[in-house]
Amino acid sequence: MDRDRSEGSMKNIKGRVKEGLGKALGDSKLETEGKMDKTEGKIQNTIGGMKDSLRKST
């Protein structure tokens, strides 16, 4: 598994936690940061998946 995939998954989890805490505490800034982290994690995970696919096809 590519390093980008594992890092992306961790960012996604971190983002979900931040977003949940932001909603629970009524902190819109923390909630927004969580959404941004989730998106960044999803993108990084996708890039890692593409790298894995390229490695397998060669």
Side-chain angles (χ1 to χ4, degrees), residues 21-54:
L21 282 173
K23 283 182 181 178
L25 299 174
D27 186 343
S28 61
K29 181 181 177 204
L30 186 61
E31 187 178 345
T32 302
E33 285 178 9
K35 289 179 182 179
M36 289 173 27
D37 286 346
K38 272 181 23 182
T39 302
E40 184 180 344
K42 287 178 184 177
I43 292 168
Q44 189 170 10
N45 193 356
T46 302
I47 290 169
M50 291 188 317
K51 287 180 180 178
D52 279 345
S53 295
L54 289 173

Side-chain angles (χ1 to χ4, degrees), residues 3 11 13-15 19 21-22 28 31 34 41 50 53 56:
R3 191 182 84 161
K11 284 182 184 177
I13 292 168
K14 178 179 140 185
E19 184 180 7
L21 282 173
S28 61
E31 187 178 345
M50 291 188 317
S53 295
K56 288 178 185 176

